[in-house]
Amino acid sequence: MRKFVLPITFLLGLLFIVGSSGNFRAYTTSRSVEFGVVSGDNSYIAYRCLSDPVPVNSSSGVEFTAVTVENLMDRPITIHVESDGSSLPPGLSAGVDGSTYTLEPGQSASIGGNFSAGNNAGEGIYEVPLTVYAEWDGGSARIGDCSMYASVERPTYVLRKAIVGRVYVYPVGEWNSITLQLNFTNNGEEGDFVIKDSIPNPGWRAFYVVGLPRPSSGRADLMMDHCHCGCSGWMIVWRVHVARGETVTLNMPMEAVFFSPGSYILNCGAPLCGTDVVSNKITVTGGR
């Protein structure tokens, strides 16, 4: 094995649409990179990292593929990735999948990253450097050319939907207790708001018993109606007064039994009346 330290010129390229990439064979970079070449110039490690900022709304989070590493050597390698979020401002956090992967020749691994922004996260573009560590029989490498970027925005209104406990797969033929949770953040002026949420009728594939909604503030009424999902179901109308910068929560308990494996839409998004803001939808899976 030979060791080289090459100052090379590195151009940001495209990964799918926009990204950066590199390898340990025939590259130059403006930074100094130390790496090992095994069994001649045809053996190297390739890496591709996303360089476009990932949009993140305040009071929300996002997951994505931060870097892809491919083993083009003639022997197995182990890799792991570390991130440095020490320069992030209060209210913004980041993480990366730090698992150790063993890659056989020709295999690749896509490493996930994530950003989470609180209501106090300031707008702007923020960088989190990534370091890829690779080891193989007789050598190792440290790649520090990748970063992931967040573009934090503060929309006027934020509606987020989730399941309490984050369980999205349920057994078939058994009763399951599920609590849907809707969070509304007002970054605009203080005022009165109306949010309509719904749980569509699943037909013969499942049976739901919906309990009374529990809002953290305001009033939420439950009724059977033609919901905005395009079918009949349970409609929840939530009337609430929200101050500027405040987040309020609505919990919707239900019992559900799924009769066959497959996907079930528990909610297709909650609209904020008078605006074009709609929450994400909730889909669960009935397993065997």
Side-chain angles (χ1 to χ4, degrees):
M1 184 185 74
R2 298 174 294 168
K3 289 285 186 177
F4 296 87
V5 178
L6 301 180
I8 46 175
T9 301
F10 180 70
L11 296 177
L12 291 176
L14 294 177
L15 169 59
F16 303 112
I17 298 177
V18 179
S20 64
S21 63
N23 58 45
F24 286 135
R25 184 172 59 175
Y27 257 55
T28 55
T29 183
S30 57
R31 290 161 280 192
S32 294
V33 180
E34 182 174 348
F35 58 87
V37 180
V38 180
S39 300
D41 289 340
N42 290 326
S43 295
Y44 55 89
I45 302 170
Y47 61 94
R48 299 181 294 275
C49 40
L50 190 67
S51 61
D52 259 4
V54 178
V56 187
N57 291 332
S58 60
S59 302
S60 67
V62 63
E63 298 180 347
F64 52 93
T65 297
V67 58
T68 300
V69 181
E70 185 177 6
N71 178 15
L72 297 179
M73 288 188 174
D74 57 359
R75 63 196 64 194
I77 65 172
T78 60
I79 62 107
H80 76 278
V81 180
E82 296 181 3
S83 61
D84 180 8
S86 59
S87 64
L88 294 178
L92 180 64
S93 61
V96 70
D97 178 6
S99 303
T100 298
Y101 293 86
T102 298
L103 304 180
E104 297 295 329
Q107 288 186 331
S108 64
S110 295
I111 309 301
N114 64 81
F115 284 106
S116 180
N119 189 48
N120 61 332
E123 291 185 310
I125 296 179
Y126 303 95
E127 178 184 7
V128 175
L130 302 177
T131 303
V132 180
Y133 295 91
E135 296 182 354
W136 59 89
D137 183 18
S140 62
R142 177 181 178 276
I143 308 168
D145 285 327
C146 286
S147 291
M148 55 187 189
Y149 301 86
S151 176
V152 179
E153 301 174 354
R154 292 179 63 82
T156 306
Y157 308 116
V158 179
L159 275 172
R160 293 180 293 130
K161 195 73 176 285
I163 292 178
V164 175
R166 301 185 64 81
V167 177
Y168 291 86
V169 179
Y170 297 91
V172 168
E174 300 179 13
W175 281 103
N176 302 281
S177 296
I178 302 173
T179 298
L180 303 177
Q181 185 176 88
L182 179 65
N183 292 289
F184 170 51
T185 299
N186 175 27
N187 292 319
E189 297 302 318
E190 180 175 352
D192 296 313
F193 300 90
V194 177
I195 302 170
K196 291 185 177 181
D197 206 349
S198 57
I199 300 174
N201 191 327
W204 61 267
R205 299 182 62 226
F207 185 76
Y208 302 155
V209 177
V210 181
L212 293 177
R214 301 191 295 266
S216 61
S217 62
R219 173 182 173 180
D221 297 313
L222 177 67
M223 63 195 77
M224 287 292 295
D225 201 352
H226 187 83
C227 64
H228 66 276
C229 294
C231 61
S232 63
W234 291 266
M235 174 73 74
I236 299 97
V237 180
W238 185 18
R239 297 173 176 86
V240 61
H241 185 88
V242 188
R244 181 182 179 89
E246 183 183 8
T247 297
V248 292
T249 299
L250 175 69
N251 284 341
M252 290 157 282
M254 61 182 293
E255 300 287 324
V257 57
F258 306 106
F259 298 132
S260 62
S263 296
Y264 295 83
I265 297 176
L266 297 188
N267 177 273
C268 56
L272 176 64
C273 295
T275 74
D276 58 358
V277 177
V278 181
S279 77
N280 58 298
K281 71 177 183 179
I282 294 293
T283 301
V284 299
T285 301
R288 294 187 180 277

